[in-house]
Amino acid sequence: MSANRSENIIMAVPKGRILDELVPLMKKAKIIPEKAFFDKKDRRLLFSSNISWLKIIRVRSFDVATFVAFGGADIGVAGLDVLKEFNYPELYMPIDLKIGTCHLSIAEPKNYNKDDNIQIKIATKYPNITNNYFANKGINVNCIKMNGAMEIAPKLEMADKIVDLVSSGKTLLANDLVEIENILNVTSHLVINRTAFKTRSKNIRDIMVFFREALNEKNT
Ligand code: PRP
């Protein structure tokens, strides 16, 4: 399938857990991806939809914001965690989709008793959010950037604390960590490339209307 960029709107959606909540919302918004999209074994990344001018790419949640910011995709669905971490000025986020609800928290081992006056090491996927958060408190931390499984880092003595997403809390519990502070409430948002919003305004506004109707919000 060709992704003729001048004729198509490309929507980036995150694969993984969030897709289970996003697909029903897309259906409500009358956006139905082609069958192959639902086949996890299908190695294609670009899919068509029931809307002739709308193509869908399925990418890692962290990459959705980057695809949209650099114009590879025109619109996307991204968590506030990812949006804050990258803080791309090219992105406009007009609609909170109210799915993927979780929060970003600082967690530490149950019996943590280190002096916080020494520079602490924090394992996280979110070094920018973490550094900013502690800098605002006047605390200098050393972030170790990881892509997953950071919950084990304190036990292995490579980090003192972690900053990661918490949903049910089961992962923290299973790794003997306790949540000490919620630093960001997270939901997924519809994000739009600002340039695309100017040049492909009609189609992008249609998609916004579809999502707002699905969410029972007034069209603005
Ligand atoms: C996320 C997050 C935690 C876990 C929290 O990881 O990084 O590890 O979910 O969920 P819980 O509070 O319900 O246990 P995910 O499973 O999405 O995989 P990832 O590490 O690949 O991001």
Side-chain angles (χ1 to χ4, degrees):
M1 188 201 324
S2 114
N4 191 324
R5 293 299 285 116
S6 60
E7 284 170 18
N8 289 315
I9 295 292
I10 308 287
M11 177 159 98
V13 303
K15 53 185 179 185
R17 270 202 242 193
I18 192 71
L19 210 49
D20 296 337
E21 284 183 78
L22 179 58
V23 165
L25 180 64
M26 285 168 67
K27 274 192 182 152
K28 247 179 141 181
K30 299 189 177 61
I31 299 169
I32 319 280
E34 67 173 301
K35 258 193 189 157
F37 175 87
F38 301 98
D39 179 359
K40 288 191 176 131
K41 286 188 203 133
D42 198 305
R43 301 298 297 162
R44 276 187 298 154
L45 299 168
L46 179 69
F47 301 92
S48 62
S49 76
N50 60 322
I51 301 169
S52 61
W53 45 262
L54 183 69
K55 307 286 181 249
I56 299 171
I57 59 170
R58 197 178 54 187
V59 300
R60 290 186 179 201
S61 59
F62 253 72
D63 290 333
V64 168
T66 306
F67 271 103
V68 182
F70 286 88
D74 304 298
I75 58 178
V77 172
L80 192 61
D81 54 327
V82 173
L83 296 169
K84 291 261 184 213
E85 178 63 18
F86 288 108
N87 208 13
Y88 288 122
E90 297 85 356
L91 296 183
Y92 163 54
M93 38 180 278
I95 304 177
D96 181 351
L97 298 174
K98 300 191 175 92
I99 56 171
T101 305
C102 56
H103 55 279
L104 192 64
S105 275
I106 307 167
E108 64 185 29
K110 262 187 213 154
N111 306 319
Y112 186 81
N113 61 3
K114 245 188 178 172
D115 180 357
D116 267 359
N117 289 325
I118 56 149
Q119 194 190 46
I120 55 166
K121 283 184 280 187
I122 301 190
T124 185
K125 263 190 217 176
Y126 305 92
N128 293 329
I129 295 177
T130 303
N131 278 320
N132 288 339
Y133 180 81
F134 282 99
N136 281 336
K137 293 187 148 201
I139 302 170
N140 180 18
V141 294
N142 179 7
C143 284
I144 304 169
K145 166 82 169 77
M146 303 194 73
N147 296 311
M150 61 286 280
E151 286 90 352
I152 193 64
K155 201 169 266 179
L156 302 177
E157 296 179 12
M158 64 178 275
D160 301 300
K161 305 186 187 207
I162 68 163
V163 166
D164 197 15
L165 292 180
V166 180
S167 176
S168 65
K170 282 183 189 163
T171 310
L172 291 184
L173 195 67
N175 291 286
D176 305 315
L177 297 171
V178 287
E179 199 175 339
I180 50 170
E181 210 169 340
N182 170 359
I183 62 174
L184 181 70
N185 288 318
V186 174
T187 51
S188 293
H189 292 248
L190 187 74
V191 292
I192 297 175
N193 176 290
R194 287 183 191 278
T195 308
F197 193 48
K198 285 182 197 141
T199 56
R200 294 151 204 226
S201 169
K202 163 79 178 74
N203 291 347
I204 291 178
R205 279 178 193 279
D206 281 351
I207 297 288
M208 287 167 62
V209 168
F210 297 158
F211 274 109
R212 285 204 167 113
E213 282 175 356
L215 292 162
N216 294 318
E217 284 180 9
K218 281 198 185 122
N219 299 333
T220 50

PDB file of all heavy atoms in Angstrom, residues 17 125 147-151 164-172, ligand 1:
ATOM      1  N   ARG A  17      -0.681  -2.531  25.395  1.00  0.00           N
ATOM      2  CA  ARG A  17      -1.878  -2.509  26.249  1.00  0.00           C
ATOM      3  C   ARG A  17      -2.942  -1.491  25.859  1.00  0.00           C
ATOM      4  O   ARG A  17      -4.115  -1.761  25.900  1.00  0.00           O
ATOM      5  CB  ARG A  17      -1.436  -2.137  27.665  1.00  0.00           C
ATOM      6  CG  ARG A  17      -1.088  -3.295  28.519  1.00  0.00           C
ATOM      7  CD  ARG A  17      -1.212  -2.840  29.932  1.00  0.00           C
ATOM      8  NE  ARG A  17       0.078  -2.923  30.592  1.00  0.00           N
ATOM      9  CZ  ARG A  17       0.209  -2.818  31.908  1.00  0.00           C
ATOM     10  NH1 ARG A  17      -0.841  -2.589  32.648  1.00  0.00           N
ATOM     11  NH2 ARG A  17       1.383  -2.911  32.459  1.00  0.00           N
ATOM     12  N   LYS A 125      12.410   5.582  32.366  1.00  0.00           N
ATOM     13  CA  LYS A 125      12.230   5.821  30.925  1.00  0.00           C
ATOM     14  C   LYS A 125      12.074   7.311  30.681  1.00  0.00           C
ATOM     15  O   LYS A 125      11.943   7.744  29.556  1.00  0.00           O
ATOM     16  CB  LYS A 125      10.895   5.187  30.497  1.00  0.00           C
ATOM     17  CG  LYS A 125      10.944   3.839  29.904  1.00  0.00           C
ATOM     18  CD  LYS A 125       9.530   3.554  29.339  1.00  0.00           C
ATOM     19  CE  LYS A 125       9.167   2.130  29.545  1.00  0.00           C
ATOM     20  NZ  LYS A 125       7.804   1.808  29.111  1.00  0.00           N
ATOM     21  N   ASN A 147      14.671   1.312  29.152  1.00  0.00           N
ATOM     22  CA  ASN A 147      13.493   1.158  28.290  1.00  0.00           C
ATOM     23  C   ASN A 147      12.444   0.238  28.881  1.00  0.00           C
ATOM     24  O   ASN A 147      11.396   0.026  28.288  1.00  0.00           O
ATOM     25  CB  ASN A 147      13.914   0.660  26.905  1.00  0.00           C
ATOM     26  CG  ASN A 147      14.780   1.675  26.206  1.00  0.00           C
ATOM     27  OD1 ASN A 147      14.430   2.852  26.154  1.00  0.00           O
ATOM     28  ND2 ASN A 147      15.922   1.253  25.706  1.00  0.00           N
ATOM     29  N   GLY A 148      12.704  -0.334  30.026  1.00  0.00           N
ATOM     30  CA  GLY A 148      11.733  -1.224  30.663  1.00  0.00           C
ATOM     31  C   GLY A 148      12.412  -1.958  31.811  1.00  0.00           C
ATOM     32  O   GLY A 148      13.633  -1.826  32.012  1.00  0.00           O
ATOM     33  N   ALA A 149      11.632  -2.696  32.555  1.00  0.00           N
ATOM     34  CA  ALA A 149      12.134  -3.530  33.656  1.00  0.00           C
ATOM     35  C   ALA A 149      12.950  -2.758  34.692  1.00  0.00           C
ATOM     36  O   ALA A 149      13.778  -3.347  35.394  1.00  0.00           O
ATOM     37  CB  ALA A 149      12.940  -4.715  33.111  1.00  0.00           C
ATOM     38  N   MET A 150      12.717  -1.443  34.800  1.00  0.00           N
ATOM     39  CA  MET A 150      13.515  -0.686  35.784  1.00  0.00           C
ATOM     40  C   MET A 150      13.143  -1.039  37.223  1.00  0.00           C
ATOM     41  O   MET A 150      13.878  -0.724  38.152  1.00  0.00           O
ATOM     42  CB  MET A 150      13.437   0.835  35.552  1.00  0.00           C
ATOM     43  CG  MET A 150      12.093   1.462  35.655  1.00  0.00           C
ATOM     44  SD  MET A 150      11.141   1.055  34.235  1.00  0.00           S
ATOM     45  CE  MET A 150      11.710   2.150  33.012  1.00  0.00           C
ATOM     46  N   GLU A 151      11.998  -1.742  37.393  1.00  0.00           N
ATOM     47  CA  GLU A 151      11.564  -2.107  38.754  1.00  0.00           C
ATOM     48  C   GLU A 151      12.590  -2.997  39.466  1.00  0.00           C
ATOM     49  O   GLU A 151      12.597  -3.075  40.687  1.00  0.00           O
ATOM     50  CB  GLU A 151      10.214  -2.834  38.713  1.00  0.00           C
ATOM     51  CG  GLU A 151       9.022  -1.935  38.427  1.00  0.00           C
ATOM     52  CD  GLU A 151       8.725  -1.801  36.946  1.00  0.00           C
ATOM     53  OE1 GLU A 151       9.522  -2.286  36.115  1.00  0.00           O
ATOM     54  OE2 GLU A 151       7.680  -1.198  36.615  1.00  0.00           O
ATOM     55  N   ASP A 164       8.383   5.541  37.218  1.00  0.00           N
ATOM     56  CA  ASP A 164       7.744   4.757  36.160  1.00  0.00           C
ATOM     57  C   ASP A 164       6.222   4.858  36.264  1.00  0.00           C
ATOM     58  O   ASP A 164       5.692   5.341  37.270  1.00  0.00           O
ATOM     59  CB  ASP A 164       8.167   3.286  36.263  1.00  0.00           C
ATOM     60  CG  ASP A 164       7.879   2.516  34.967  1.00  0.00           C
ATOM     61  OD1 ASP A 164       7.634   3.161  33.922  1.00  0.00           O
ATOM     62  OD2 ASP A 164       7.876   1.275  35.003  1.00  0.00           O
ATOM     63  N   LEU A 165       5.556   4.362  35.224  1.00  0.00           N
ATOM     64  CA  LEU A 165       4.093   4.352  35.216  1.00  0.00           C
ATOM     65  C   LEU A 165       3.568   3.324  36.205  1.00  0.00           C
ATOM     66  O   LEU A 165       4.124   2.230  36.328  1.00  0.00           O
ATOM     67  CB  LEU A 165       3.563   4.004  33.823  1.00  0.00           C
ATOM     68  CG  LEU A 165       3.790   5.029  32.725  1.00  0.00           C
ATOM     69  CD1 LEU A 165       3.205   4.511  31.417  1.00  0.00           C
ATOM     70  CD2 LEU A 165       3.156   6.372  33.090  1.00  0.00           C
ATOM     71  N   VAL A 166       2.501   3.695  36.871  1.00  0.00           N
ATOM     72  CA  VAL A 166       1.814   2.769  37.774  1.00  0.00           C
ATOM     73  C   VAL A 166       0.363   2.712  37.338  1.00  0.00           C
ATOM     74  O   VAL A 166      -0.273   3.748  37.141  1.00  0.00           O
ATOM     75  CB  VAL A 166       1.890   3.249  39.243  1.00  0.00           C
ATOM     76  CG1 VAL A 166       1.163   2.271  40.160  1.00  0.00           C
ATOM     77  CG2 VAL A 166       3.340   3.423  39.681  1.00  0.00           C
ATOM     78  N   SER A 167      -0.122   1.488  37.158  1.00  0.00           N
ATOM     79  CA  SER A 167      -1.536   1.333  36.809  1.00  0.00           C
ATOM     80  C   SER A 167      -2.221   0.604  37.959  1.00  0.00           C
ATOM     81  O   SER A 167      -2.820   1.210  38.841  1.00  0.00           O
ATOM     82  CB  SER A 167      -1.638   0.595  35.473  1.00  0.00           C
ATOM     83  OG  SER A 167      -2.960   0.362  35.159  1.00  0.00           O
ATOM     84  N   SER A 168      -2.091  -0.719  37.997  1.00  0.00           N
ATOM     85  CA  SER A 168      -2.709  -1.463  39.105  1.00  0.00           C
ATOM     86  C   SER A 168      -1.821  -1.439  40.351  1.00  0.00           C
ATOM     87  O   SER A 168      -2.288  -1.705  41.452  1.00  0.00           O
ATOM     88  CB  SER A 168      -2.927  -2.911  38.683  1.00  0.00           C
ATOM     89  OG  SER A 168      -1.667  -3.527  38.465  1.00  0.00           O
ATOM     90  N   GLY A 169      -0.543  -1.180  40.180  1.00  0.00           N
ATOM     91  CA  GLY A 169       0.406  -1.213  41.297  1.00  0.00           C
ATOM     92  C   GLY A 169       1.031  -2.587  41.495  1.00  0.00           C
ATOM     93  O   GLY A 169       1.890  -2.783  42.352  1.00  0.00           O
ATOM     94  N   LYS A 170       0.589  -3.565  40.669  1.00  0.00           N
ATOM     95  CA  LYS A 170       1.065  -4.945  40.852  1.00  0.00           C
ATOM     96  C   LYS A 170       2.561  -5.092  40.594  1.00  0.00           C
ATOM     97  O   LYS A 170       3.234  -5.858  41.267  1.00  0.00           O
ATOM     98  CB  LYS A 170       0.301  -5.879  39.903  1.00  0.00           C
ATOM     99  CG  LYS A 170      -1.084  -6.214  40.402  1.00  0.00           C
ATOM    100  CD  LYS A 170      -1.761  -7.192  39.462  1.00  0.00           C
ATOM    101  CE  LYS A 170      -3.214  -7.364  39.844  1.00  0.00           C
ATOM    102  NZ  LYS A 170      -4.001  -7.967  38.774  1.00  0.00           N
ATOM    103  N   THR A 171       3.069  -4.366  39.609  1.00  0.00           N
ATOM    104  CA  THR A 171       4.500  -4.512  39.278  1.00  0.00           C
ATOM    105  C   THR A 171       5.369  -4.006  40.432  1.00  0.00           C
ATOM    106  O   THR A 171       6.374  -4.633  40.774  1.00  0.00           O
ATOM    107  CB  THR A 171       4.836  -3.765  37.965  1.00  0.00           C
ATOM    108  OG1 THR A 171       3.896  -4.150  36.978  1.00  0.00           O
ATOM    109  CG2 THR A 171       6.236  -4.101  37.484  1.00  0.00           C
ATOM    110  N   LEU A 172       4.970  -2.889  41.031  1.00  0.00           N
ATOM    111  CA  LEU A 172       5.737  -2.367  42.182  1.00  0.00           C
ATOM    112  C   LEU A 172       5.706  -3.379  43.323  1.00  0.00           C
ATOM    113  O   LEU A 172       6.748  -3.730  43.884  1.00  0.00           O
ATOM    114  CB  LEU A 172       5.151  -1.029  42.659  1.00  0.00           C
ATOM    115  CG  LEU A 172       5.305   0.182  41.730  1.00  0.00           C
ATOM    116  CD1 LEU A 172       4.749   1.430  42.413  1.00  0.00           C
ATOM    117  CD2 LEU A 172       6.759   0.413  41.331  1.00  0.00           C
TER     118      LEU A 172
HETATM  119  C1  PRP B   1       4.174  -0.543  32.439  1.00  0.00           C
HETATM  120  C2  PRP B   1       5.067   0.188  33.407  1.00  0.00           C
HETATM  121  C3  PRP B   1       5.130  -0.750  34.585  1.00  0.00           C
HETATM  122  C4  PRP B   1       3.794  -1.444  34.542  1.00  0.00           C
HETATM  123  C5  PRP B   1       2.873  -0.869  35.589  1.00  0.00           C
HETATM  124  O1  PRP B   1       4.915  -1.425  31.713  1.00  0.00           O
HETATM  125  O2  PRP B   1       6.332   0.463  32.855  1.00  0.00           O
HETATM  126  O3  PRP B   1       6.176  -1.675  34.437  1.00  0.00           O
HETATM  127  O4  PRP B   1       3.216  -1.207  33.250  1.00  0.00           O
HETATM  128  O5  PRP B   1       1.600  -1.493  35.587  1.00  0.00           O
HETATM  129  P1  PRP B   1       0.936  -2.050  36.913  1.00  0.00           P
HETATM  130  O6  PRP B   1       0.972  -0.952  37.926  1.00  0.00           O
HETATM  131  O7  PRP B   1      -0.466  -2.415  36.486  1.00  0.00           O
HETATM  132  O8  PRP B   1       1.720  -3.253  37.346  1.00  0.00           O
HETATM  133  P2  PRP B   1       4.280  -2.268  30.494  1.00  0.00           P
HETATM  134  O9  PRP B   1       3.685  -3.523  30.993  1.00  0.00           O
HETATM  135  O10 PRP B   1       3.364  -1.391  29.699  1.00  0.00           O
HETATM  136  O11 PRP B   1       5.532  -2.667  29.654  1.00  0.00           O
HETATM  137  P3  PRP B   1       6.859  -1.870  29.300  1.00  0.00           P
HETATM  138  O12 PRP B   1       7.775  -2.048  30.480  1.00  0.00           O
HETATM  139  O13 PRP B   1       7.336  -2.538  28.069  1.00  0.00           O
HETATM  140  O14 PRP B   1       6.482  -0.431  29.101  1.00  0.00           O
END
